[in-house]
Amino acid sequence: MKIENCKLKIVVCWLYPELMSTYGDRGNIICLTKRCQWRGIDVTVQDKLAGADLIFGGGAQDRQQEIVMRDLSGKKDQLQKMFDDGVPGLFVCGAPQLLGRPYLGIFDMETSFPGGPRLIGNLVGEISSHYNLEPRTFVGFENHGGRTYLGPGVKPFARVIKGFGNNGEDGTEGAVYKNCLATYSHGPFLPKNPAVADWLIKTALEVKYRKEVELKPLDDALEHQAHDFIVKKYGH
Amino acid sequence: MIKLLAKLVSFVSKTLGLGAGVTWAGEIALKFDPNILSKLIPTGSRVILIAGTNGKTTTSKMITQILGNAVSNDTGANILNGIVGTLITKPAAKNIVLETDEATLPAVVAQITPDTVVLLNLFRDQLDRYGEVDTIAKKWLSALEKLSCRFVINADDPQLAWLGSKLKKVSFFGLDDKKYFLPKMQHATDSIFCPACGTRLKYAGVYFSHLGQYRCPKCSFKQPKLDLAARDVKSPLPGVYNLYNMLAAAAVTGTNEITAFSPAFGRMEKIGNARLLLSKNPAGFNESLRTVLDAKERGPVLLVLNDRIPDGRDVSWIWDVDFENLTNYRECITCSGDRVYDLALRLKYAGISNMRIVPNLGDAVKNQSWILATYSAMLEVRKILTGKKIN
């Protein structure tokens, strides 16, 4: 028996909303919140990890990132346990650096800073078929100095069609550990990728209620128009 | 010789209608002599540099008008080629008033010795081009601490106040008036952490973005004492940001009032029935929205978003603009520009329903009362409305 959307509750954790909010990151929180509310799902946003059903981490300026790292390394075990329990997460911008080595080391991946040019521009990729999303593509914008190389303990989130992705060499973009996604796309990733937003919401609810959840369909004509525009303009 | 060649290029470029003769001339001159800037300043002239994310053009125009006998890059050509081009193509004058792009300031002061440097504000803007706010502030400090000139600095911006504390001969300006406090903090804030120790600053009130009255609860960092405050000046234009521009101009010139001031390109400029507000980053856009919402005459609003090089290729910043404030705006809101769908999507998630999507700018500009546009979009809008180009 499936639960009606209007009887569901979801708690979203936005990690360090003041420190990790460099460039439109809150677009992801607005997107998750609205897409829940439009379906009658009760949604709360908090900055604590405890009790969260979905975790979001944005991008930080260098100085802010240091403050975040100092605090977050004390929460590493809590974060790892939540990921291992299947709690979904989205980490954008510098997240691949933050979650892997030499920082938190939860994700099996290594980031180096060779000091070459920053990798900047529109980013289009094909999301791993594991997620069975429609459309299969994602669109974003990247701006990073680090180069990340994945180990066998994580899977790439997508394959780069246009842009640089993890390192500009092997065609991988982002990383997935359990239900947690990390991407070099920065800022408002979810609004133009509503299928990813809905996957996060659905997964969060299914892990929480231990039941299959069917999200009410929404009118995503404008979302798809904005998505397709970027794929057509930059995705080849 | 180089100057002559550059002047010729500028003339040909303008005559052929290629526009931007100034930047072309500068580009050519720099090719022949990368250090030409130092040679273009006549002895005895007074150089005033104006830097900051928002307000450079208006402040330069105010200073130019007050001082008279001035040459200025008033077309907004504020990177090295534009500055060199301005000095080559325009007649020499005693006062040289130059608005300087954030990233260009260190290169400019490496070549010329200014009389005064004005620092207006630092907001998040085009991270793909400039890098982070903290990074710019660091680069400014290492370039400016070598100078022995006078500095005019906005004390309401914590990052700049901190920078000013490391410099000598600083005049600080700020509003110091609670009546300009916003009811709550805006989302697009950058420097709300203590520049000295990293603790979150305590604000008694915020004027806009991270500009306000603040102190650090942990270390000794606090707002510096003001040399000039809002009560001391009279701004010729509406808007809190113009009050800041007037304060900066007054601190430089000693003149506290301007009468008969016509706004710079796209800054409350009126063409037909439309008011034009250049809106190119979250702090500026929020202030433009505040101007529209505070205006007595409401009317249809056009928002135009482009993603060309002068606008910044990355449009993520629109999610930091508080478009939610338009939810109760009754008149029609039209979206246009290269990234019209991104903009429309932002408005959809802000809960705005009375919205039209008109990708064709020529159709979109018709019958609007307010036009808020990014840089290249504003150039296009002006061209359509006036039938001519600006260079």
Side-chain angles (χ1 to χ4, degrees):
Chain A
M1 188 49 198
K2 285 172 190 164
I3 318 172
E4 281 177 67
N5 278 203
C6 61
K7 293 196 175 134
L8 297 165
K9 280 187 183 177
I10 189 169
V11 178
V12 178
C13 166
W14 181 4
L15 283 169
Y16 310 100
E18 285 183 340
L19 291 160
M20 300 216 293
S21 174
T22 306
Y23 224 36
D25 294 287
R26 76 161 166 180
N28 299 297
I29 294 296
I30 296 175
C31 179
L32 290 169
T33 308
K34 291 285 177 187
R35 296 184 73 79
C36 287
Q37 288 170 345
W38 288 332
R39 296 176 164 116
I41 301 170
D42 183 277
V43 54
T44 331
V45 179
Q46 62 178 33
D47 60 4
K48 293 195 311 283
L49 277 173
D53 306 311
L54 203 170
I55 306 166
F56 168 70
Q61 300 199 44
D62 290 343
R63 192 160 53 97
Q64 273 83 311
Q65 178 119 343
E66 282 167 34
I67 307 174
V68 166
M69 275 314 301
R70 244 178 285 148
D71 194 65
L72 202 57
S73 48
K75 293 179 183 157
K76 185 193 158 180
D77 294 344
Q78 189 183 7
L79 205 56
Q80 170 111 44
K81 179 164 189 316
M82 289 175 86
F83 292 159
D84 286 339
D85 289 344
V87 173
L90 172 71
F91 288 78
V92 300
C93 197
Q97 298 163 20
L98 192 76
L99 293 167
R101 292 179 302 271
Y103 299 106
L104 283 181
I106 299 176
F107 278 46
D108 178 19
M109 57 193 188
E110 189 93 33
T111 299
S112 59
F113 297 86
R118 286 183 77 83
L119 306 178
I120 303 175
N122 287 288
L123 180 60
V124 180
E126 186 183 6
I127 301 173
S128 160
S129 57
H130 170 76
Y131 297 96
N132 199 20
L133 298 182
E134 186 53 47
R136 280 278 295 280
T137 45
F138 82 90
V139 298
F141 195 97
E142 62 184 325
N143 183 354
H144 53 105
R147 311 289 197 269
T148 299
Y149 299 87
L150 308 185
V154 289
K155 292 196 170 63
F157 168 62
R159 183 182 64 80
V160 176
I161 295 175
K162 176 71 203 302
F164 301 99
N166 288 336
N167 47 51
E169 294 163 25
D170 63 15
T172 62
E173 156 48 27
V176 185
Y177 172 74
K178 308 279 177 176
N179 288 326
C180 180
L181 317 177
T183 171
Y184 264 124
S185 304
H186 82 178
F189 176 69
L190 293 177
K192 286 204 292 288
N193 299 294
V196 181
D198 285 355
W199 180 85
L200 288 166
I201 297 170
K202 184 174 150 73
T203 307
L205 292 167
E206 287 183 341
V207 169
K208 176 178 188 172
Y209 290 97
R210 297 164 198 267
K211 270 190 184 151
E212 200 190 333
V213 169
E214 200 175 307
L215 296 179
K216 255 194 237 169
L218 299 172
D219 174 6
D220 282 336
L222 187 56
E223 283 81 349
H224 290 147
Q225 213 169 3
H227 179 108
D228 294 346
F229 178 80
I230 301 298
V231 172
K232 278 202 195 94
K233 191 165 177 187
Y234 299 107
H236 44 78
Chain B
M1 182 61 200
I2 297 166
K3 277 175 77 171
L4 204 67
L5 181 69
K7 269 190 186 174
L8 186 71
V9 170
S10 163
F11 176 74
V12 172
S13 164
K14 272 188 206 163
T15 318
L16 297 178
L18 299 173
V22 169
T23 48
W24 267 101
E27 194 64 46
I28 302 265
L30 281 164
K31 272 261 175 352
F32 282 97
D33 181 359
N35 298 316
I36 192 166
L37 182 56
S38 56
K39 297 159 194 163
L40 293 172
I41 310 292
T43 38
S45 53
R46 179 184 181 198
V47 178
I48 298 159
L49 302 177
I50 295 105
T53 313
N54 291 340
K56 293 185 287 290
T57 307
T58 300
T59 306
S60 304
K61 198 160 188 269
M62 286 172 167
I63 294 172
T64 307
Q65 185 168 330
I66 294 170
L67 293 179
N69 190 10
V71 57
S72 168
N73 52 344
D74 52 5
T75 54
N78 61 18
I79 61 173
L80 211 51
N81 59 16
I83 290 170
V84 167
T86 299
L87 296 174
I88 288 177
T89 54
K90 291 196 176 179
K94 183 174 183 310
N95 298 300
I96 299 173
V97 183
L98 298 169
E99 66 159 278
T100 310
D101 175 84
E102 291 90 297
T104 304
L105 183 65
V108 171
V109 297
Q111 289 199 40
I112 55 181
T113 312
D115 175 86
T116 308
V117 175
V118 182
L119 305 180
L120 292 170
N121 48 58
L122 263 182
F123 301 116
R124 59 180 75 179
D125 183 21
Q126 301 190 22
L127 263 73
D128 52 329
R129 194 164 118 213
Y130 296 118
E132 298 160 352
V133 168
D134 294 350
T135 315
I136 300 173
K138 267 186 215 147
K139 286 182 182 159
W140 279 10
L141 180 59
S142 64
L144 298 177
E145 62 190 357
K146 298 179 194 118
L147 304 178
S148 60
C149 70
R150 192 178 157 229
F151 295 95
V152 168
I153 293 178
N154 186 346
D156 291 350
D157 187 322
Q159 190 101 39
L160 295 187
W162 177 78
L163 209 159
S165 73
K166 310 270 175 202
L167 302 169
K168 292 184 189 105
K169 288 199 280 182
V170 181
S171 307
F172 283 108
F173 65 91
L175 296 185
D176 189 26
D177 192 336
K178 291 188 174 64
K179 102 173 158 236
Y180 300 109
F181 281 169
L182 285 171
K184 70 177 178 72
M185 196 109 182
Q186 287 166 320
H187 174 75
T189 51
D190 298 282
S191 309
I192 52 170
F193 295 91
C194 176
C197 75
T199 309
R200 197 186 188 293
L201 295 169
K202 282 251 180 292
Y203 276 88
V206 169
Y207 301 120
F208 74 94
S209 190
H210 59 266
L211 306 189
Q213 286 182 20
Y214 57 85
R215 64 176 178 86
C216 177
K218 198 169 160 207
C219 74
S220 60
F221 177 72
K222 61 173 201 268
Q223 196 154 18
K225 212 173 140 281
L226 301 183
D227 299 292
L228 202 66
R231 70 186 90 80
D232 302 321
V233 302
K234 217 173 142 194
S235 168
L237 295 172
V240 171
Y241 47 101
N242 284 318
L243 197 49
Y244 276 114
N245 298 336
M246 183 64 220
L247 277 165
V252 171
T253 61
T255 301
N256 295 353
E257 192 178 342
I258 303 178
T259 45
F261 182 80
S262 56
F265 149 77
R267 279 85 172 175
M268 276 300 273
E269 192 186 14
K270 193 163 189 191
I271 301 180
N273 289 321
R275 286 255 178 218
L276 274 48
L277 291 170
L278 183 67
S279 310
K280 52 195 170 87
N281 48 44
F285 220 116
N286 278 334
E287 280 315 292
S288 297
L289 292 177
R290 189 168 163 185
T291 306
V292 172
L293 290 165
D294 286 350
K296 283 193 197 79
E297 300 160 48
R298 292 198 163 184
V301 177
L302 170 65
L303 309 172
V304 197
L305 177 67
N306 278 1
D307 67 349
R308 300 174 202 179
I309 302 276
D311 310 294
R313 304 306 314 265
D314 182 6
V315 299
S316 305
W317 60 272
I318 57 173
W319 290 87
D320 284 329
V321 179
D322 294 327
F323 287 108
E324 284 76 5
N325 292 339
L326 282 178
T327 317
N328 296 321
Y329 198 78
R330 296 281 166 84
E331 306 274 351
C332 182
I333 298 165
T334 306
C335 299
S336 190
D338 297 343
R339 295 294 289 262
V340 58
Y341 301 111
D342 280 82
L343 186 57
L345 197 58
R346 174 68 188 98
L347 294 192
K348 175 181 172 179
Y349 281 83
I352 290 156
S353 49
N354 46 334
M355 168 179 68
R356 289 192 313 152
I357 299 174
V358 184
N360 183 307
L361 192 58
D363 296 333
V365 295
K366 285 176 193 152
N367 304 319
Q368 301 290 353
S369 297
W370 296 94
I371 301 177
L372 281 59
T374 58
Y375 195 84
S376 77
M378 188 57 84
L379 289 175
E380 282 185 281
V381 165
R382 280 186 97 265
K383 196 179 156 197
I384 294 168
L385 291 178
T386 63
K388 55 182 185 232
K389 260 188 203 168
I390 184 171
N391 67 353

